[in-house]
Amino acid sequence: MIIVLKPQATQEVIDHVIERIEALGFTPHLSQGVARTIIGVIGDEDKLQAEPLQAIAGVEQVVPILKPYKLASREFHGEASVFDIKGIKVGGGHLMMIAGPCAIESEPLLVEIAGKVREAGANVLRGGAFKPRTSPYSFQGLGEDGLKMLKATGERFGMPVVTEVMDPRQIELVERYTDLFQIGARNMQNFDLLKEVGKTRIPVLLKRGMSATVKDLLMSAEYVLAQGNRRVILCERGVRTFEDSTRNTLDLSIVPNVKGLSHLPIIVDPSHATGRPDLIPAMSLAGVAAGSDGIHIEVHSCPEKALSDGPQALLPVQYAQLMEELRQLAQLLGKTIDACEGVTV
Amino acid sequence: MIIVLKPQATQEVIDHVIERIEALGFTPHLSQGVARTIIGVIGDEDKLQAEPLQAIAGVEQVVPILKPYKLASREFHGEASVFDIKGIKVGGGHLMMIAGPCAIESEPLLVEIAGKVREAGANVLRGGAFKPRTSPYSFQGLGEDGLKMLKATGERFGMPVVTEVMDPRQIELVERYTDLFQIGARNMQNFDLLKEVGKTRIPVLLKRGMSATVKDLLMSAEYVLAQGNRRVILCERGVRTFEDSTRNTLDLSIVPNVKGLSHLPIIVDPSHATGRPDLIPAMSLAGVAAGSDGIHIEVHSCPEKALSDGPQALLPVQYAQLMEELRQLAQLLGKTIDACEGVTV
Amino acid sequence: MIIVLKPQATQEVIDHVIERIEALGFTPHLSQGVARTIIGVIGDEDKLQAEPLQAIAGVEQVVPILKPYKLASREFHGEASVFDIKGIKVGGGHLMMIAGPCAIESEPLLVEIAGKVREAGANVLRGGAFKPRTSPYSFQGLGEDGLKMLKATGERFGMPVVTEVMDPRQIELVERYTDLFQIGARNMQNFDLLKEVGKTRIPVLLKRGMSATVKDLLMSAEYVLAQGNRRVILCERGVRTFEDSTRNTLDLSIVPNVKGLSHLPIIVDPSHATGRPDLIPAMSLAGVAAGSDGIHIEVHSCPEKALSDGPQALLPVQYAQLMEELRQLAQLLGKTIDACEGVTV
Amino acid sequence: MIIVLKPQATQEVIDHVIERIEALGFTPHLSQGVARTIIGVIGDEDKLQAEPLQAIAGVEQVVPILKPYKLASREFHGEASVFDIKGIKVGGGHLMMIAGPCAIESEPLLVEIAGKVREAGANVLRGGAFKPRTSPYSFQGLGEDGLKMLKATGERFGMPVVTEVMDPRQIELVERYTDLFQIGARNMQNFDLLKEVGKTRIPVLLKRGMSATVKDLLMSAEYVLAQGNRRVILCERGVRTFEDSTRNTLDLSIVPNVKGLSHLPIIVDPSHATGRPDLIPAMSLAGVAAGSDGIHIEVHSCPEKALSDGPQALLPVQYAQLMEELRQLAQLLGKTIDACEGVTV
């Protein structure tokens, strides 16, 4: 850590800062230039970053040198992590293709959509039973009934399933039905929820918050990892900007950025990022080309009757065509899309 | 609600849209211009906004006319709401002056700070017992021990107290100790948490999320109100932008904006918004001048040793000087700062 | 255009709005619902959008129906435009691969870089002679001397050249040396400059402003097109957001978005968008996968000695490797990268 | 400047960085910690910041210590600057109250508005003769005819006048008619324009760009100052964010922020920032309370017929009422609003 003092810092100020650093058990290295005095601080940077050194009078700037996350970092785990979710791998060249309706509405509809996306090559089935809706008057999900439908349908088609958990009190319930917890964008910094899913052994799909930096996202992953759950899959789903012609702005640069900083897999969700079916195919291809470890897409047989987020869903036929293009691109890039096994559709 | 069809919409498309609208129980009003066909839809707009009309083929744009929140709106409640928190009023010309440390660290320290801010004119005491920290390795708060200190200190000085609740499972506990729940910015769209505080009769200080629009904020308030808890106080604490010289960007225009749209009081938190003690006084004055119903400021006797957010805290002496200026401004604007009663400090 | 009146609009207000609309030569269509009165306005929407109808007392909202740009729109020109810049096509399946140093520093260095990027497959050479630098104390470019070097080097390698023009007074000069004008992001709404390049017959590479929406970008293109210059190539180069680990945030969704709204080609510049060589290859591949009509990359033989933007430049060897991957991707997608002809390198 | 090397930097890398620093004429100070090697660089930081040290292999991060602007800084000029524009002072406790129509439309209208705002206490008259409009089909201003009307009207009422200049070729013309050049937000980084106004002796009102940081704004001021024109007045007029209920987001924290960093006066423009007359009064009061050196407001006698930006204009009667409140606030804060002299209105 580097501490830059204000111009004309008196000897008294310098002495106070040094005394404070030493009192905390660190070693200060003084370096006096013409315009500024700089103090390098050697010691456990984790502890240092927790100290409010910025608040010391006479300090102009505190520059951290090390990253604040550890278990999520490349330095901690050099190789790209590969996770196996009931036979479907993600990371290290394996693409996880998640598809399904935004909300679970009924078992027949879920079966219909699941059958079609599996046939098209999806290898994980999604469906929401607890829905975080902006309006308290919107459909809030089927709850446990929905979870049962999801589990049954996943088993029918040999597909692992993923569903969102929003409340620490739901974890025990959802854990019985899902193969992968989704933490939604609005809960990316719901730290109690992160700690609780961290205590389970169900892997976690952690979506980036609408205004989270890459560092924030990795810190949230660290919350889960620090509890002992080592399987976190990150997900880019768009951030909030001034651009109003798309629902959010998909930030694909986070994909190679995360790959440099972390060993965790990262997938891309163009459905929530754009909110526009006409842009989803291009953004899915771009996501895979950017190095994403998978694509998350909402599919509905009849978007105009969907109970949640219909306007952003692809039709099954559009999804099948897109998967055809994604498969070719994956092949060119040497990536694998694992197939669901053991079940005749 | 207005539905704009794509150019060259065929009669078949028009018929389908009309049929769909009628099937939902609404009345369509067709209006065909040269370039576009427009369909006005008359009926319960709440129900309409829940329908994915945007997903119907041939639809270019769906324009909602009414606001999606009701209980929070000025149309529902014409007068500005005034809430009384243990004798301290907020709204309708009464300013709530919240001050205290970011985190409760020890009882002597809390008592020291509380005594000083009360003397300076603060009328609500704040202190965090559960802290939402970006890093899992940072100080996470004293929990129930902290709550006990807060309650005792509040009673000692005759000050109502406010503290953050982060997890639905904490509500029963926190309710026993606090006079006002704080919902932090990171939990503004933690809908289960909102519902749970909505079921209590403790008023709620709802902080704006880092990338929440004014509409999002009012929708989150609606979640609380819809459960029967009618006392929600909004709080602007800065939004995320590209500007990197302040922690966030304080959006004071939300103050008069909310006053036009809603009857709920709104206060301003320049501590979290700027993260810089040198900017807090000017932004506090600006907040009151903008029409804010109160100011929330973090104060610490020794910021350089604070366990949380020290660098943004004011010293008690700085707070006292600022309160002197705020009092004069409040007087000019005809506003009242209620004093805590019944206790000799 | 649709005009929504405020709730409880009196008959007097309604009459005034109708009178005003008729006075402007348009036809109002009244439609009165329970909660709101809505007035559809039929007529030349271009003229309508220029009128301050929002300012009429009693008007709550004015909703434009048609897009404010014409010559740039798909409705004006259904087919994707293909432009030929000295034998190199862009648009309609042809990719323009622009490469070269940020600033022209000397003829030998430019020749060295040009030779290498041409060999790697670049088909347009870039180089700045007038540099828009944030600091007045930074290198501002070689001016006409630089332009001469650029033209000579382009001719030597059979490559068309592109260079930035910043000032209407430079246009006559730059026009003598360049095959393509670049309008930089900072000048995207320098309307006098846009008008002046619109009067020439040199095609224009128009970069998106740092906080420009897709609509703003197309409106700026319209400024050029309206003067008679029909060859505008758009360029996405990142927008400003809260994310601070990249220089800007590359918004690739603008690529398919523009393709739906406009016939103009659009290319992607990952160098300025990310500012990080480690992210440029992934973002270039993603750009082509998203449907971009070309890629713009800065290349320098010795980034650590570059006079401008060195830290974001690729080395020639990195560029060659990336071009190899881009070629394969282009082939898969059925796209062509035109080769420079007639010159032995 | 501090250079942080990547982890496991070899001796070879360290030697190369040191050699490079010495070759540039600077003195390196090596400091090796457990996790990172850090090199402090002593010397002329201006020159250093122009060097692409970030591009050297093995360098992880380059941390500048000094600010990149000089003439604009508080360190260069400790006292707040006070400028006198034809008898009206701005800065150091003097508030400049600019008012007038967005565009000059006709002399009678301008005279009518000028008379009213002067009577209300405005001390500078604004009016646009060259208008930067998003659409090429919108009213572009009256040009020199408008300038003549502005000068005549200013003289009639004893008010200095301000008008926008958009193109270096207009400067000679505009200089003959105006007392203060306005550089609009879209041209804040039009560096050629900045240099040209910097060569004149007419003071400059420099508006913050829509996505400019405070540092960017001060660097643009530096462009003007570096040419010898020492009178630059900054202006906050809102930045672009995700919030869509206001035209832009007014960032008032830039006011005290600039006052800490620079000696230059800064005023606030709530008209362009909010785009909403209902928010302008509250934001004007907040601006003055935040320490602004003036307020810029658009006023029009008949907003619904204005040729430019009518929907955001205040009526003269609204402006008069607001000025009454601003005067009281100014008095409380010990600020002066200079009155125009020598003319009977």
Side-chain angles (χ1 to χ4, degrees):
Chain A
M1 181 166 283
I2 298 158
I3 297 177
V4 182
L5 300 187
K6 289 183 181 159
Q8 288 94 40
T10 61
Q11 192 56 44
E12 193 186 9
V13 164
I14 298 174
D15 290 347
H16 175 67
V17 176
I18 286 178
E19 183 188 4
R20 184 94 190 92
I21 290 168
E22 289 175 343
L24 292 166
F26 303 103
T27 311
H29 282 221
L30 195 68
S31 151
Q32 287 179 290
V34 183
R36 287 288 188 287
T37 294
I38 291 164
I39 301 174
V41 187
I42 308 292
D44 182 341
E45 180 118 356
D46 286 334
K47 279 189 200 153
L48 259 171
Q49 292 193 9
E51 295 295 335
L53 303 172
Q54 178 79 55
I56 303 177
V59 171
E60 183 171 278
Q61 206 183 346
V62 171
V63 186
I65 296 306
L66 297 186
K67 296 176 188 79
Y69 44 86
K70 240 193 263 191
L71 305 174
S73 75
R74 271 280 175 190
E75 292 166 23
F76 175 78
H77 191 288
E79 291 296 296
S81 285
V82 184
F83 304 137
D84 183 311
I85 319 287
K86 276 183 114 178
I88 302 301
K89 291 201 193 67
V90 60
H94 296 266
L95 303 185
M96 174 171 271
M97 293 304 193
I98 303 177
C102 181
I104 300 161
E105 302 176 24
S106 74
E107 188 148 358
L109 186 62
L110 185 63
V111 167
E112 181 193 335
I113 297 171
K116 287 180 175 163
V117 298
R118 188 197 190 289
E119 200 185 326
N123 53 22
V124 174
L125 177 65
R126 67 148 285 128
F130 298 102
K131 300 298 308 168
R133 305 301 297 276
T134 310
S135 167
Y137 310 122
S138 298
F139 174 62
Q140 309 269 322
L142 294 183
E144 187 168 6
D145 284 349
L147 293 173
K148 286 179 182 164
M149 295 172 195
L150 182 64
K151 187 177 169 68
T153 308
E155 285 171 356
R156 177 167 174 172
F157 293 103
M159 301 174 85
V161 299
V162 56
T163 198
E164 179 162 358
V165 63
M166 291 167 61
D167 183 331
R169 297 170 302 178
Q170 294 161 352
I171 289 176
E172 208 183 313
L173 173 72
V174 178
E175 195 175 1
R176 293 204 295 273
Y177 297 102
T178 197
D179 304 305
L180 180 58
F181 282 127
Q182 177 184 310
I183 300 292
R186 288 175 181 79
N187 282 311
M188 193 202 82
Q189 293 192 318
N190 182 337
F191 300 120
D192 286 291
L193 184 63
L194 296 176
K195 284 180 193 167
E196 290 301 323
V197 296
K199 289 176 191 158
T200 74
R201 287 304 164 266
I202 304 282
V204 176
L205 180 67
L206 178 63
K207 299 190 115 183
R208 181 186 191 182
M210 274 179 280
S211 56
T213 62
V214 60
K215 191 178 120 187
D216 293 335
L217 177 60
L218 290 170
M219 289 306 291
S220 284
E222 191 82 7
Y223 259 95
V224 178
L225 299 170
Q227 295 294 329
N229 188 344
R230 295 301 167 95
R231 294 189 292 170
V232 176
I233 303 163
L234 307 171
C235 182
E236 159 65 21
R237 44 76 74 207
V239 293
R240 275 223 167 155
T241 70
F242 58 84
E243 174 62 68
D244 55 4
S245 67
T246 47
R247 186 163 160 174
N248 293 284
T249 298
L250 184 66
D251 172 18
L252 282 180
S253 70
I254 200 177
V255 173
N257 202 354
V258 156
K259 298 227 162 278
L261 298 168
S262 175
H263 56 93
L264 298 173
I266 179 167
I267 71 169
V268 167
D269 170 0
S271 299
H272 287 88
T274 65
R276 286 176 45 183
D278 59 325
L279 306 182
I280 292 173
M283 289 302 96
S284 300
L285 289 159
V288 170
S292 165
D293 298 300
I295 300 291
H296 171 287
I297 291 180
E298 289 188 358
V299 177
H300 199 285
S301 315
C302 185
E304 74 185 58
K305 292 186 179 168
L307 295 181
S308 176
D309 275 351
Q312 77 188 29
L314 287 193
L315 290 167
V317 61
Q318 293 171 317
Y319 183 70
Q321 187 180 330
L322 170 57
M323 277 299 291
E324 184 52 39
E325 295 174 39
L326 288 173
R327 237 189 312 270
Q328 290 177 29
L329 178 58
Q331 199 179 354
L332 176 74
L333 302 173
K335 303 287 178 81
T336 308
I337 304 174
D338 291 358
C340 300
E341 282 177 57
V343 181
T344 311
V345 186
Chain B
M1 182 166 281
I2 297 160
I3 297 177
V4 181
L5 300 188
K6 287 182 181 160
Q8 288 95 37
T10 61
Q11 191 57 43
E12 194 185 10
V13 163
I14 298 174
D15 291 347
H16 175 66
V17 176
I18 286 178
E19 184 188 3
R20 184 96 190 89
I21 290 167
E22 288 174 344
L24 291 166
F26 302 103
T27 311
H29 282 220
L30 194 69
S31 151
Q32 287 179 291
V34 182
R36 287 289 188 289
T37 294
I38 291 165
I39 302 175
V41 186
I42 307 294
D44 181 342
E45 180 118 355
D46 287 333
K47 281 190 198 152
L48 258 172
Q49 293 194 10
E51 295 293 336
L53 303 173
Q54 179 80 54
I56 303 177
V59 170
E60 184 171 278
Q61 205 184 347
V62 171
V63 186
I65 296 304
L66 296 186
K67 297 177 186 78
Y69 43 86
K70 239 193 267 190
L71 304 173
S73 75
R74 271 279 175 190
E75 292 167 22
F76 175 78
H77 191 288
E79 293 296 296
S81 284
V82 184
F83 303 137
D84 183 310
I85 319 287
K86 277 183 115 180
I88 302 300
K89 292 203 192 68
V90 60
H94 296 266
L95 302 185
M96 173 172 271
M97 293 304 196
I98 304 176
C102 181
I104 301 160
E105 300 175 26
S106 74
E107 188 147 359
L109 187 62
L110 185 62
V111 167
E112 181 193 335
I113 297 170
K116 286 180 176 163
V117 299
R118 187 197 190 289
E119 199 186 327
N123 52 23
V124 175
L125 177 65
R126 68 147 286 127
F130 297 102
K131 300 298 309 168
R133 305 300 298 274
T134 309
S135 167
Y137 310 122
S138 297
F139 174 62
Q140 308 270 321
L142 295 183
E144 187 167 6
D145 284 349
L147 293 174
K148 286 178 182 164
M149 297 172 194
L150 182 64
K151 187 178 168 67
T153 309
E155 285 171 356
R156 176 168 174 170
F157 292 103
M159 300 175 86
V161 298
V162 56
T163 198
E164 179 162 359
V165 63
M166 292 168 60
D167 184 328
R169 297 170 303 178
Q170 294 161 352
I171 289 177
E172 210 183 311
L173 173 72
V174 178
E175 195 176 1
R176 294 203 295 273
Y177 297 101
T178 198
D179 303 305
L180 180 59
F181 282 128
Q182 178 184 310
I183 301 291
R186 289 175 181 80
N187 282 311
M188 192 202 82
Q189 293 193 318
N190 182 338
F191 299 120
D192 286 291
L193 185 62
L194 296 176
K195 284 180 193 166
E196 291 300 323
V197 296
K199 289 176 191 156
T200 74
R201 287 303 165 266
I202 305 281
V204 177
L205 180 65
L206 178 64
K207 297 191 117 182
R208 182 186 190 181
M210 273 180 280
S211 57
T213 61
V214 61
K215 190 178 120 186
D216 293 336
L217 176 60
L218 290 171
M219 289 305 291
S220 284
E222 191 82 7
Y223 258 95
V224 178
L225 299 170
Q227 295 294 329
N229 189 343
R230 295 302 167 94
R231 293 190 292 171
V232 176
I233 303 163
L234 307 171
C235 181
E236 160 65 21
R237 43 77 74 209
V239 293
R240 275 223 165 156
T241 71
F242 58 85
E243 175 61 69
D244 56 4
S245 67
T246 46
R247 185 163 161 175
N248 294 285
T249 297
L250 184 65
D251 173 19
L252 283 181
S253 69
I254 200 177
V255 173
N257 202 353
V258 156
K259 298 229 161 275
L261 299 168
S262 174
H263 56 94
L264 298 173
I266 179 166
I267 72 168
V268 167
D269 170 1
S271 300
H272 287 88
T274 65
R276 286 176 45 184
D278 59 325
L279 306 183
I280 291 173
M283 289 301 98
S284 300
L285 289 160
V288 170
S292 166
D293 298 300
I295 301 290
H296 171 287
I297 291 180
E298 289 188 358
V299 176
H300 199 285
S301 316
C302 185
E304 76 186 57
K305 292 187 179 169
L307 296 181
S308 177
D309 276 350
Q312 76 188 29
L314 286 193
L315 291 166
V317 61
Q318 293 171 317
Y319 183 71
Q321 187 179 330
L322 170 57
M323 277 299 291
E324 184 52 38
E325 295 174 38
L326 288 173
R327 236 189 314 268
Q328 290 177 31
L329 179 57
Q331 198 180 354
L332 176 73
L333 301 173
K335 302 287 178 82
T336 308
I337 302 175
D338 291 358
C340 300
E341 282 176 57
V343 181
T344 310
V345 187
Chain C
M1 181 165 284
I2 296 160
I3 297 176
V4 182
L5 299 188
K6 288 182 182 160
Q8 289 94 37
T10 61
Q11 191 57 45
E12 194 186 9
V13 164
I14 297 174
D15 290 348
H16 175 66
V17 176
I18 286 177
E19 185 189 5
R20 185 93 190 92
I21 290 168
E22 288 175 343
L24 292 166
F26 303 104
T27 311
H29 281 221
L30 194 68
S31 148
Q32 287 178 290
V34 182
R36 288 288 189 287
T37 294
I38 292 164
I39 302 174
V41 187
I42 308 293
D44 182 341
E45 180 119 354
D46 286 336
K47 278 190 199 152
L48 259 173
Q49 293 194 6
E51 294 295 336
L53 303 173
Q54 179 80 55
I56 303 177
V59 170
E60 183 171 277
Q61 205 184 347
V62 171
V63 186
I65 296 304
L66 297 186
K67 298 176 185 78
Y69 44 86
K70 242 194 265 190
L71 304 174
S73 75
R74 271 278 175 192
E75 292 166 24
F76 175 78
H77 191 288
E79 292 295 296
S81 284
V82 184
F83 304 137
D84 183 311
I85 319 286
K86 276 183 114 181
I88 302 300
K89 292 202 192 66
V90 59
H94 296 266
L95 303 184
M96 173 170 271
M97 293 304 194
I98 304 177
C102 181
I104 301 160
E105 301 176 23
S106 74
E107 187 146 1
L109 186 62
L110 185 62
V111 167
E112 182 194 335
I113 297 171
K116 287 180 175 162
V117 299
R118 187 197 191 289
E119 201 185 327
N123 53 23
V124 174
L125 177 65
R126 68 147 285 128
F130 297 102
K131 300 299 308 167
R133 303 303 297 274
T134 309
S135 167
Y137 309 122
S138 298
F139 174 63
Q140 309 269 322
L142 294 183
E144 186 166 7
D145 285 349
L147 293 174
K148 285 178 181 164
M149 295 172 195
L150 182 65
K151 187 178 169 67
T153 309
E155 285 172 354
R156 177 167 173 172
F157 293 103
M159 300 174 85
V161 298
V162 57
T163 198
E164 179 163 358
V165 64
M166 292 168 59
D167 184 329
R169 297 170 303 180
Q170 294 160 353
I171 289 175
E172 208 184 313
L173 173 71
V174 178
E175 194 175 2
R176 294 203 296 272
Y177 296 101
T178 198
D179 304 304
L180 180 59
F181 282 127
Q182 177 184 310
I183 301 291
R186 289 175 182 78
N187 281 312
M188 192 202 83
Q189 293 193 318
N190 182 337
F191 300 120
D192 286 292
L193 185 63
L194 296 176
K195 285 181 192 165
E196 290 301 323
V197 296
K199 288 177 191 155
T200 74
R201 287 303 164 267
I202 305 281
V204 176
L205 179 66
L206 177 64
K207 298 191 117 183
R208 182 186 189 182
M210 274 179 277
S211 56
T213 62
V214 59
K215 191 178 120 186
D216 293 336
L217 176 60
L218 290 170
M219 288 305 291
S220 284
E222 191 83 7
Y223 259 96
V224 178
L225 298 171
Q227 296 294 330
N229 188 344
R230 296 299 167 96
R231 293 190 294 170
V232 176
I233 302 163
L234 308 171
C235 182
E236 160 64 22
R237 43 77 74 208
V239 292
R240 275 223 166 155
T241 70
F242 58 86
E243 175 61 69
D244 55 3
S245 67
T246 46
R247 186 163 161 174
N248 293 285
T249 298
L250 183 66
D251 173 18
L252 283 181
S253 70
I254 200 177
V255 173
N257 202 356
V258 155
K259 298 231 162 273
L261 299 168
S262 173
H263 56 93
L264 299 173
I266 178 165
I267 72 168
V268 167
D269 170 1
S271 300
H272 287 87
T274 65
R276 286 177 44 184
D278 59 325
L279 305 183
I280 292 172
M283 289 301 97
S284 300
L285 289 160
V288 169
S292 164
D293 298 301
I295 300 290
H296 171 288
I297 291 180
E298 290 188 0
V299 177
H300 198 285
S301 317
C302 186
E304 74 184 62
K305 292 187 179 168
L307 296 181
S308 177
D309 276 350
Q312 76 187 32
L314 287 192
L315 291 166
V317 62
Q318 294 170 316
Y319 183 71
Q321 187 181 330
L322 170 58
M323 277 299 291
E324 184 52 38
E325 296 174 37
L326 288 174
R327 236 190 313 270
Q328 290 177 30
L329 178 58
Q331 199 178 355
L332 176 74
L333 301 173
K335 303 286 178 81
T336 308
I337 303 174
D338 291 359
C340 300
E341 282 176 58
V343 180
T344 310
V345 187
Chain D
M1 181 165 285
I2 297 160
I3 297 177
V4 182
L5 299 188
K6 288 182 181 159
Q8 289 94 39
T10 62
Q11 192 57 43
E12 193 185 11
V13 164
I14 298 174
D15 291 348
H16 175 65
V17 177
I18 287 177
E19 184 188 5
R20 184 93 190 92
I21 290 167
E22 289 175 344
L24 292 166
F26 303 104
T27 310
H29 282 221
L30 194 68
S31 151
Q32 286 178 294
V34 183
R36 289 288 189 287
T37 294
I38 291 165
I39 301 174
V41 187
I42 309 293
D44 182 341
E45 180 117 356
D46 287 335
K47 279 190 197 152
L48 259 172
Q49 292 193 8
E51 294 295 335
L53 303 173
Q54 179 79 57
I56 303 176
V59 170
E60 183 171 277
Q61 207 183 344
V62 171
V63 186
I65 296 305
L66 297 186
K67 298 178 186 78
Y69 44 87
K70 240 194 266 190
L71 305 174
S73 74
R74 272 278 176 191
E75 292 166 23
F76 175 78
H77 191 287
E79 292 295 296
S81 284
V82 184
F83 303 137
D84 183 312
I85 320 286
K86 276 182 114 179
I88 302 300
K89 292 203 193 66
V90 61
H94 296 266
L95 304 184
M96 174 172 271
M97 294 304 194
I98 304 177
C102 181
I104 301 160
E105 302 176 24
S106 75
E107 188 146 1
L109 186 62
L110 185 62
V111 167
E112 181 193 334
I113 297 171
K116 287 179 175 164
V117 298
R118 187 196 191 290
E119 200 185 326
N123 53 22
V124 174
L125 178 66
R126 67 148 284 129
F130 298 101
K131 299 299 308 167
R133 304 302 299 273
T134 310
S135 167
Y137 310 121
S138 298
F139 174 64
Q140 309 269 322
L142 294 182
E144 186 167 7
D145 285 349
L147 293 173
K148 286 178 181 165
M149 295 172 195
L150 182 65
K151 188 178 168 67
T153 308
E155 286 172 354
R156 177 167 172 171
F157 292 102
M159 300 174 85
V161 298
V162 56
T163 198
E164 180 163 357
V165 64
M166 293 168 57
D167 182 330
R169 298 170 301 178
Q170 294 160 353
I171 289 176
E172 209 183 313
L173 173 71
V174 177
E175 195 176 1
R176 293 203 296 272
Y177 297 101
T178 198
D179 304 305
L180 179 60
F181 282 127
Q182 178 185 309
I183 301 291
R186 290 176 181 78
N187 282 312
M188 192 202 84
Q189 293 193 317
N190 182 337
F191 300 120
D192 286 293
L193 184 63
L194 296 176
K195 284 180 192 166
E196 289 301 322
V197 296
K199 288 177 192 156
T200 73
R201 287 304 164 267
I202 304 281
V204 176
L205 179 66
L206 178 63
K207 298 191 117 183
R208 182 186 190 180
M210 274 179 279
S211 55
T213 61
V214 59
K215 190 178 121 185
D216 293 336
L217 176 60
L218 290 170
M219 288 306 291
S220 285
E222 191 83 8
Y223 259 95
V224 178
L225 299 170
Q227 295 293 330
N229 188 343
R230 296 299 166 97
R231 294 190 292 171
V232 175
I233 303 162
L234 307 171
C235 182
E236 158 66 22
R237 44 76 73 207
V239 293
R240 275 223 167 156
T241 70
F242 58 85
E243 175 62 68
D244 56 3
S245 67
T246 46
R247 186 164 161 174
N248 294 284
T249 297
L250 184 66
D251 173 18
L252 282 181
S253 69
I254 201 177
V255 173
N257 202 355
V258 156
K259 298 229 161 275
L261 298 168
S262 174
H263 56 93
L264 298 173
I266 179 166
I267 71 168
V268 167
D269 170 1
S271 300
H272 287 87
T274 65
R276 286 176 44 185
D278 58 326
L279 306 182
I280 292 172
M283 290 300 97
S284 300
L285 289 160
V288 170
S292 165
D293 298 300
I295 300 289
H296 171 287
I297 291 180
E298 290 187 358
V299 177
H300 200 285
S301 316
C302 185
E304 74 184 60
K305 292 188 179 167
L307 295 181
S308 177
D309 276 350
Q312 77 186 31
L314 287 192
L315 291 167
V317 61
Q318 294 170 317
Y319 182 71
Q321 188 181 330
L322 170 58
M323 278 299 291
E324 185 52 38
E325 296 175 37
L326 289 173
R327 236 189 313 269
Q328 290 177 29
L329 178 59
Q331 199 179 354
L332 175 74
L333 302 172
K335 303 287 179 81
T336 309
I337 303 174
D338 290 359
C340 299
E341 284 176 57
V343 180
T344 310
V345 187

